Amino acid sequence: MKDYIFNIHDVVLLMTAAECLLLSIFQQVLPIRERNYGLLLTAFLLIVATASACTLILWNDQFEVAPLFGQRLLPYFLFAALMLKGPAIYLYVSSLTQQNLRLEWRHALHLVPALLLMLSIFAFDLSSDDLRRIAIDSPGFPELAVELVWDLATAVPLAYAIAAVLSLHRYRGELEDEYSHFSTTELHWLNILTYGVLISWGWTLAVHVLAKYSSVETADLLGIADNYVTFILINAFFAYSLSYAHQLLVTQPQQSREPSGEEPSESAINKVRQAMETEKLYLKKNLNLEQFSNRLELPAKEVSAVINKHFGTNFFEFINSYRVEEAKALLADPGKAEMTVLDVLLESGFNSKSAFHRFFSRLAGMSPTEYRRQALGKNSVAA
């Protein structure tokens, strides 16, 4: 008679661990790029592999390992992985959105929560049976210690997931401060994946809290769903790394573009206004703050201060509002009636249909075609 070691849910954990290992190896043989997000993705995959394998060993009674590892060392590996997956995903997202992010000694601070939890496990001499609540030598304080380590292992990763989501919101603002055009596709998918992590780890925390007030069967059923979500997410992150990650635009370090507290000078304001109204620099496609500042021979900080403080907007909105006005002039010109809408958007500095139609409709209150019809109609009546 054959005994089954794994059920379908255990197989998902096993597949997650195995696939994470394979993907981490594959990630390292990919061509080396300028940014090191590949290394951080590899770290995240290895951490998830460790967490999945340790979870399988902890909760599968038929999975036999050496007693020393199974009882004493397993808690350290499991909770180190659970505590480090948060910093790993946060640093991965940061490496995608920050120019030339390099791991420095200050990043070692992200190890502190994991190290403190390891010290707690050592101090209370917690074993795997303690974590499973099979045999706690004495009630009271050791039992509270078990609750504490599980609480921290679910709450800390969620805090990092929230930080990753907030960093993406900040990144979009930085793009609008530095670029006149950027593709939203890569950012959109990264948002979906990061929110997926946030929802998954939020679910983990919710199940952990619910388990304290519900039956074991209910908690197990809800907790198992998280394993399936994890399996989907690690594949999605790897696919994203291959397809989209290298296409994300990087932003300058905050200190190099942060406007100073001083009010911009009149000369700087006049230079910016002249560049837009006389030189029409906004007609240059894919114009960014650095290029714009170089043409004006002004520091990027000063130009940013003029746009933010004097004109009350960001670089993205500032440049594209002028482009919309240029497009309106072209659409309303009877001599340009033979130009297609595509010709108009390219002539006015846009290089994306979606961006042009979105901006034009928002600022003009109607589509470009409708604007042209009304403008040319008025011109014919006036004539």
Side-chain angles (χ1 to χ4, degrees):
M1 189 72 179
K2 294 182 178 179
D3 293 328
Y4 292 99
I5 298 177
F6 303 115
N7 57 38
I8 184 62
H9 310 306
D10 290 340
V11 169
V12 171
L13 280 172
L14 187 62
M15 289 176 60
T16 301
E19 187 167 3
C20 282
L21 289 174
L22 290 174
L23 292 180
S24 63
I25 294 172
F26 187 56
Q27 180 68 40
Q28 291 308 298
V29 300
L30 291 175
I32 298 175
R33 305 187 189 279
E34 291 183 2
R35 284 174 279 169
N36 61 355
Y37 57 80
L39 178 63
L40 289 164
L41 179 60
T42 299
F44 177 65
L45 291 171
L46 292 175
I47 288 168
V48 172
T50 302
S52 299
C54 290
T55 300
L56 177 62
I57 296 171
L58 181 67
W59 296 109
N60 190 318
D61 295 334
Q62 294 179 299
F63 200 102
E64 296 183 1
V65 295
L68 176 62
F69 178 82
Q71 282 297 318
R72 293 298 169 187
L73 298 182
L74 180 63
Y76 293 96
F77 281 91
L78 174 61
F79 284 97
L82 293 177
M83 295 292 283
L84 291 176
K85 66 180 183 179
I89 200 65
Y90 172 73
L91 290 174
Y92 171 69
V93 171
S94 298
S95 70
L96 290 173
T97 58
Q98 296 179 23
Q99 186 177 40
N100 299 324
L101 176 71
R102 293 289 182 266
L103 294 179
E104 301 172 358
W105 282 109
R106 61 186 177 87
H107 292 120
L109 292 173
H110 294 294
L111 301 175
V112 171
L115 292 174
L116 291 176
L117 199 60
M118 298 300 99
L119 289 174
S120 300
I121 293 173
F122 177 79
F124 295 109
D125 194 26
L126 298 180
S127 67
S128 294
D129 282 346
D130 293 330
L131 298 178
R132 291 190 295 258
R133 296 176 176 83
I134 291 177
I136 296 181
D137 295 334
S138 60
F141 204 62
E143 189 171 355
L144 292 176
V146 171
E147 290 289 339
L148 176 63
V149 295
W150 279 117
D151 289 345
L152 291 175
T154 53
V156 170
L158 179 61
Y160 273 99
I162 294 172
V165 168
L166 293 176
S167 72
L168 283 181
H169 282 283
R170 184 173 62 250
Y171 171 63
R172 185 181 182 92
E174 292 170 353
L175 288 176
E176 293 182 350
D177 281 336
E178 293 187 42
Y179 294 91
S180 64
H181 170 78
F182 57 88
S183 172
T184 57
T185 302
E186 299 83 8
L187 184 58
H188 176 70
W189 281 110
L190 184 57
N191 266 310
I192 290 177
L193 291 177
T194 309
Y195 271 103
V197 170
L198 176 63
I199 293 170
S200 174
W201 294 352
W203 177 262
T204 301
L205 180 60
V207 171
H208 175 68
V209 173
L210 185 63
K212 299 179 180 181
Y213 307 101
S214 64
S215 65
V216 176
E217 292 77 12
T218 301
D220 285 344
L221 183 63
L222 295 174
I224 284 169
D226 191 39
N227 297 333
Y228 290 83
V229 174
T230 300
F231 181 75
I232 295 171
L233 283 174
I234 59 108
N235 284 278
F237 268 108
F238 184 77
Y240 180 85
S241 183
L242 287 179
S243 304
Y244 293 115
H246 61 283
Q247 299 178 32
L248 282 170
L249 294 172
V250 295
T251 57
Q252 296 295 323
Q254 186 173 2
Q255 60 271 19
S256 67
R257 55 181 168 76
E258 186 77 16
S260 64
E262 301 177 359
E263 290 297 321
S265 64
E266 282 298 322
S267 62
I269 294 172
N270 291 333
K271 278 190 174 183
V272 171
R273 185 179 286 113
Q274 181 181 1
M276 300 299 286
E277 297 176 0
T278 305
E279 300 178 39
K280 294 189 175 183
L281 292 186
Y282 57 84
L283 296 179
K284 176 180 173 58
K285 293 178 175 60
N286 296 322
L287 181 68
N288 61 40
L289 180 64
E290 183 179 5
Q291 295 168 343
F292 188 73
S293 302
N294 289 339
R295 287 290 298 270
L296 271 61
E297 297 182 348
L298 289 173
K301 280 186 177 183
E302 192 169 3
V303 174
S304 184
V306 171
I307 294 172
N308 293 342
K309 295 183 178 181
H310 181 76
F311 292 98
T313 186
N314 56 48
F315 185 75
F316 184 70
E317 296 280 343
F318 182 66
I319 297 297
N320 285 300
S321 63
Y322 274 91
R323 289 172 174 172
V324 168
E325 291 302 315
E326 181 75 15
K328 288 165 70 174
L330 292 173
L331 291 168
D333 186 353
K336 305 288 185 180
E338 77 285 352
M339 293 180 68
T340 66
V341 172
L342 178 61
D343 293 332
V344 169
L345 75 89
L346 293 175
E347 188 74 16
S348 56
F350 287 97
N351 62 354
S352 165
K353 287 183 179 180
S354 59
F356 172 67
H357 284 279
R358 183 174 66 252
F359 261 100
F360 194 96
S361 297
R362 178 161 63 84
L363 296 180
M366 62 186 75
S367 69
T369 303
E370 178 65 16
Y371 182 87
R372 166 178 269 176
R373 187 184 67 79
Q374 291 190 15
L376 294 181
K378 290 178 182 178
N379 289 339
S380 63
V381 169

